[in-house]
């Protein structure tokens, strides 16, 4: 009942606005079969020799590229995943001229697959890779997945690194700047599928100046008390009910 009322309010706010911005995280893609980090069945609750935060850090990558790539290929790339109702609804809202941008912490490329155009990938993408030695660029995930062990540049033999922001690495300034501008000017800010504990990404919310901050998440977050509307539920199911 509470969720139904929440979705009604969200529907009204969406219907009245043509300046909606979406900010999301790993929870947006769990309904596509990609595990998040912090849910019960998320990556952080599975057992590894070392914690995932350690493995997907810059220093670990530089020191143990083989072990990094074993984890990365198995857990961070999902070549067969398809967009879900949340991705599709956001793309539809953009096409209707209502949504200005999707700002995502995800690296899976599913927003683009669904048809979204203005996607700000704060943490990069598994679909872009560069040779660390000669700078050669490789699109797609095949160059990583097809390589036995550590992927090497066919041109110079250097190690190929994914264009993904690892722990200890900084975010791209231009992307951050654009994200801040979209959030600052947004009328409705919909935040979904994120635990809001990864900084500096989560800190972007403080730039929002409006009075329609919507949180759609399975579990409570530290921002719930500051939101104007909290909907506890699966984001694909919730956004799937919205009429554009
Ligand atoms: P997180 O794992 O910390 O939190 C995910 C949140 O989403 C949780 O609060 C969970 O309750 C919620 N959630 C899970 N499924 C949901 C659903 N169907 N509907 C609504 N809520 C749902 O994720 P985060 O905050 O994005 O931070 C983790 C970092 O991990 C990010 O920086 C991201 O780059 C990276 N990551 C990305 C992917 C991906 O690209 N798909 C997957 C895992 C992790």
């Amino acid at each position: 009942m509470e969720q139904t009322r929440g979705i009604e309010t969200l529907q009204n706010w969406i219907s009245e606005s043509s300046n909606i911005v979406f900010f999301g995280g790993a929870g947006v893609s769990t309904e596509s079969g990609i595990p998040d980090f912090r849910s019960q069945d998320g990556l952080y609750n599975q057992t590894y020799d070392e914690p995932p935060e350690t493995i997907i850090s810059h220093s670990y990558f530089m020191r143990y590229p083989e072990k990094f790539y074993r984890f990365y290929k198995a857990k961070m790339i999902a070549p067969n995943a398809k967009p879900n109702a949340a991705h599709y609804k956001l793309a539809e809202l953009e096409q209707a001229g209502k949504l200005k941008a999707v700002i995502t912490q995800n690296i899976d490329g599913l927003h683009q697959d669904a048809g979204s155009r203005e996607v700000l990938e704060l943490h990069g993408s598994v679909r872009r890779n560069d040779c660390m030695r000669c700078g050669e660029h490789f699109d797609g995930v095949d160059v990583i997945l097809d390589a036995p062990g550590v992927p090497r540049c066919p041109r110079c033999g250097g190690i190929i690194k994914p264009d993904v922001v690892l722990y200890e690495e900084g975010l791209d300034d231009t992307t951050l700047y654009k994200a801040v501008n979209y959030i600052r000017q947004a009328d409705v800010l919909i935040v979904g599928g994120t635990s809001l504990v990864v900084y500096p990404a989560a800190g972007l919310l403080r730039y929002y100046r409006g009075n329609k901050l919507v949180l759609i998440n399975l579990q409570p977050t530290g921002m719930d008390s500051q939101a104007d509307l909290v909907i506890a539920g699966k984001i694909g199911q919730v956004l799937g009910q919205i009429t554009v």
Side-chain angles (χ1 to χ4, degrees), residues 19-170:
N19 190 355
I20 303 164
V21 170
F22 180 80
F23 177 91
V28 173
S29 292
T30 54
E31 287 162 87
S32 295
I34 304 179
D36 63 9
F37 279 177
R38 291 177 186 80
S39 286
Q40 237 158 11
D41 53 354
L43 286 184
Y44 282 10
N45 292 313
Q46 300 172 18
T47 315
Y48 299 102
D49 292 345
E50 283 137 315
E53 298 99 314
T54 305
I55 304 176
I56 50 177
S57 67
H58 181 82
S59 46
Y60 195 91
F61 172 81
M62 298 304 284
R63 209 160 161 192
Y64 309 109
E66 264 149 44
K67 287 207 270 181
F68 169 90
Y69 267 116
R70 211 176 304 144
F71 179 89
Y72 179 82
K73 288 183 198 182
K75 301 291 176 189
M76 308 286 290
I77 303 183
N80 300 318
K82 300 273 178 296
N84 63 54
H87 299 102
Y88 284 119
K89 191 63 67 173
L90 292 166
E92 212 185 310
L93 285 166
E94 183 186 34
Q95 273 144 29
K98 298 179 76 63
L99 181 130
K100 298 295 177 208
V102 166
I103 302 165
T104 183
Q105 300 166 83
N106 292 350
I107 54 176
D108 55 35
L110 292 184
H111 285 293
Q112 289 91 334
D113 287 351
S116 282
R117 286 171 167 274
E118 185 65 343
V119 182
L120 304 182
E121 295 173 312
L122 295 172
H123 294 159
S125 171
V126 295
R127 296 183 183 181
R128 295 187 298 267
N129 309 278
D130 298 295
C131 171
M132 292 177 76
R133 193 185 293 163
C134 73
E136 178 89 356
H137 180 76
F138 304 91
D139 274 326
V141 294
D142 291 352
V143 68
I144 304 294
L145 290 180
D146 292 350
V150 179
R152 296 241 167 216
C153 177
R155 217 169 72 177
C156 76
I159 292 182
I160 297 175
K161 183 177 182 293
D163 181 9
V164 163
V165 179
L166 302 176
Y167 284 93
E168 304 161 356
E169 292 179 344

